[in-house]
Amino acid sequence: MRAPKDKPKVERAVQYVRGNFWAGETFATLEQVQDAVTRWCADRAGMRIHGSTQARPAELFAQAEAQVLLPVPPVYDVPVFNRVKVHRDLHVEVGKALYSVPGSYLGRDLDARADRALVKLYDSGKLVRIHPRQEPGGRSTDPADIPTGKAGYALQDLDLLVVKAAGHGPSIGAYAAQILDDPRPWARMRAVYRLLGLVRRYGADPVETACAMARIDWCVSQRQLGVISGEVGAGKTVAVRAALAGLEPSRHQVIYIPDPTITMRGIHTRIVTALGRTPAFFSGVLASQTATLPAGELDERAGLPGVVIDEAHLLTNTDLEALRMLSNSDMDTGSHFAMLLIGQPTLRRRLKLAVLSALDQRISTRYTITGMNAADTSDYIRQHLKFAGRSDPLFSDDAIQAIHLASRGYPRAVNNLAVAALIATYAADKAIVDLAAAAQSAITENSE
């Protein structure tokens, strides 16, 4: 041990190393420094005759000092301190894991101290709870922390959470179920809480639409089979196009087939051609080529092919079965491409037939596009008028209501009736589309 008066002697070693090792040397990497200083200590610094001891430092260390050295202490466990908030599930998040606290602390901010073994939670210096440290994604819950009325909400009642989400819309419920489809679903419950918060803030309709778009994106990215159905003019193709527009072009290749009546050979040819190959002449070889090429695209270029078949209700049962067989190329262990079938409601009903049960069981994403409600129809018409440069009310409220009822909220029918009503208004030399003349005459003409 050294005393304070020996401080200059201790620091003298720093000057010696600086002047005898570093002086005139240049090192490019840390490894070079470590290698050079190891050799310098062994060959030069350790073998010189020390001015005070008149002995070689390396020999003196081996003879007298090495035997009295204490063991190297373990690495100090440096704790991590955080300020955390108690969320609605009566848990706080520390190191991407969840830890429960008593219900009286709901909404409060606590201080968290986490080391390798324990997580301690404090409120103004008072110890609130101690938990064993969990891996990221883990959860430690003391049942005594959860009030009786909130047990189903806080203790991982996933089914209750999905049912609550589905009450706002089928796509919201399906999206919540996909979020919780995880080996540790409780670690993702807060994402569902945020989803329900969006419903409270913006309403169910816009969130339902956003969830439908997200489900289409998920279907393509996970190489699944999806079915998008809706009445004529409901906007099925537009919705799918909007969802696919958000995909990364360098990673996803969308193969769009607008007319499925070109037969299965035509569909196979279209897929093979889009993937940059020459279609085989014989139908059997062409079908095998279609099934194997997406796997090569995925393995060689990390590309994710996606096949979109519009007007899929025109496919025969045999054609639908042939499409199912395309996913069997790898002994049913997984699909190498995504497929979206877009069609009228008859497609959705046909898939429930026993003859197509094998295909029906492979469908991971289903979405039915319905008509807009009255408020959405009004916003839809006014938004189109803004695009046309008109900010003033060109349609009366009763005219919009009549157009909504006649069109059942389907965008294409709304477009046709609105255009016809505008023409009738112009012919009558009026400035506003009203119900008495323009809107009613447009509805009558389009219904005949």
Side-chain angles (χ1 to χ4, degrees):
M1 297 290 294
R2 294 286 185 179
K5 63 184 180 61
D6 297 323
K7 182 175 182 290
K9 292 183 178 181
V10 175
E11 294 182 347
R12 182 67 183 86
V14 176
Q15 300 176 14
Y16 174 76
V17 173
R18 182 178 60 201
N20 292 271
F21 173 71
W22 288 105
E25 296 288 345
T26 301
F27 300 100
T29 64
L30 177 62
E31 290 74 14
Q32 290 182 1
V33 177
Q34 293 172 336
D35 181 66
V37 76
T38 301
R39 288 186 283 103
W40 179 76
C41 288
D43 300 338
R44 296 185 57 185
M47 299 306 294
R48 77 187 192 280
I49 300 299
H50 195 277
S52 299
T53 63
Q54 293 300 305
R56 290 184 172 89
E59 295 176 353
L60 183 61
F61 173 79
Q63 294 171 3
E65 297 178 347
Q67 294 84 350
V68 297
L69 286 179
L70 297 176
V72 177
V75 178
Y76 180 67
D77 186 5
V78 181
V80 177
F81 296 89
N82 286 319
R83 188 75 172 167
V84 295
K85 184 174 183 179
V86 182
H87 290 268
R88 296 175 58 203
D89 58 355
L90 302 181
H91 287 70
V92 298
E93 181 177 345
V94 179
K96 298 184 179 180
L98 302 180
Y99 302 90
S100 68
V101 296
S104 58
Y105 292 93
L106 176 62
R108 300 268 294 277
D109 290 329
L110 303 178
D111 294 308
R113 179 192 185 278
D115 53 35
R116 284 199 295 258
L118 298 174
V119 171
K120 298 180 180 180
L121 302 172
Y122 297 88
D123 178 28
S124 301
K126 175 186 175 182
L127 182 62
V128 173
R129 185 67 73 225
I130 300 178
H131 289 279
R133 184 69 182 267
Q134 303 295 316
E135 294 292 332
R139 181 186 182 105
S140 177
T141 301
D142 186 342
D145 292 337
I146 311 301
T148 305
K150 293 191 175 183
Y153 181 77
L155 292 180
Q156 309 169 22
D157 193 344
L158 306 179
D159 294 336
L160 179 63
L161 201 57
V162 172
V163 169
K164 185 176 181 179
H168 298 291
S171 288
I172 298 176
Y175 190 56
Q178 288 177 357
I179 291 175
L180 298 174
D181 185 14
D182 187 86
R184 293 175 174 174
W186 56 86
R188 308 189 68 182
M189 290 177 70
R190 293 190 180 187
V192 181
Y193 300 152
R194 288 192 289 269
L195 178 64
L196 296 177
L198 292 175
V199 174
R200 291 191 297 271
R201 182 174 181 180
Y202 299 106
D205 290 338
V207 178
E208 172 75 5
T209 302
C211 286
M213 305 284 279
R215 290 173 64 194
I216 295 174
D217 179 82
W218 177 88
C219 179
V220 175
S221 63
Q222 298 298 315
R223 307 191 299 275
Q224 301 293 321
L225 175 61
V227 174
I228 311 298
S229 59
E231 294 288 351
V232 176
K236 304 180 292 295
T237 305
V238 173
V240 172
R241 183 172 66 241
L244 297 180
L247 298 176
E248 185 179 352
S250 61
R251 182 162 170 75
H252 297 85
Q253 180 176 1
V254 178
I255 305 171
Y256 178 64
I257 301 175
D259 181 14
T261 61
I262 57 178
T263 72
M264 279 309 301
R265 179 175 179 83
I267 294 175
H268 288 164
T269 300
R270 183 69 176 270
I271 296 174
V272 171
T273 303
L275 294 177
R277 299 294 192 276
T278 301
F281 177 78
F282 295 101
S283 297
V285 179
L286 177 61
S288 176
Q289 189 181 25
T290 307
T292 56
L293 275 180
E297 187 74 13
L298 183 62
D299 296 336
E300 296 174 10
R301 301 181 179 84
L304 298 177
V307 180
V308 180
I309 302 180
D310 212 343
E311 307 295 339
H313 57 277
L314 300 177
L315 292 167
T316 65
N317 291 350
T318 303
D319 294 338
L320 290 171
E321 274 297 291
L323 292 175
R324 178 183 71 85
M325 297 302 293
L326 290 178
S327 62
N328 284 352
S329 61
D330 199 12
M331 296 184 66
D332 204 25
T333 59
S335 176
H336 300 292
F337 64 97
M339 181 179 296
L340 286 176
L341 303 179
I342 309 173
Q344 296 178 17
T346 53
L347 172 64
R348 185 180 69 250
R349 293 191 289 267
R350 281 175 55 207
L351 290 172
K352 296 300 180 181
L353 298 176
V355 69
L356 295 175
S357 59
L359 174 62
D360 185 62
Q361 293 175 8
R362 293 174 183 266
I363 298 173
S364 63
T365 300
R366 306 170 193 265
Y367 184 62
T368 300
I369 298 180
T370 58
M372 299 179 289
N373 57 34
D376 290 338
T377 301
S378 178
D379 292 340
Y380 180 78
I381 292 176
R382 290 189 169 90
Q383 191 65 28
H384 273 267
L385 291 176
K386 287 183 180 179
F387 289 150
R390 292 293 296 266
S391 58
D392 56 316
L394 188 57
F395 285 76
S396 65
D397 292 339
D398 55 355
I400 293 177
Q401 181 65 20
I403 291 174
H404 169 71
L405 294 176
S407 65
R408 296 182 296 166
Y410 291 118
R412 187 181 300 163
V414 172
N415 293 342
N416 294 336
L417 291 176
V419 171
L422 285 171
I423 295 174
T425 301
Y426 177 78
D429 197 21
K430 292 185 176 181
I432 299 294
V433 178
D434 58 9
L435 175 62
Q440 192 58 54
S441 64
I443 295 172
T444 303
E445 291 178 0
N446 280 268
S447 61
E448 292 179 350

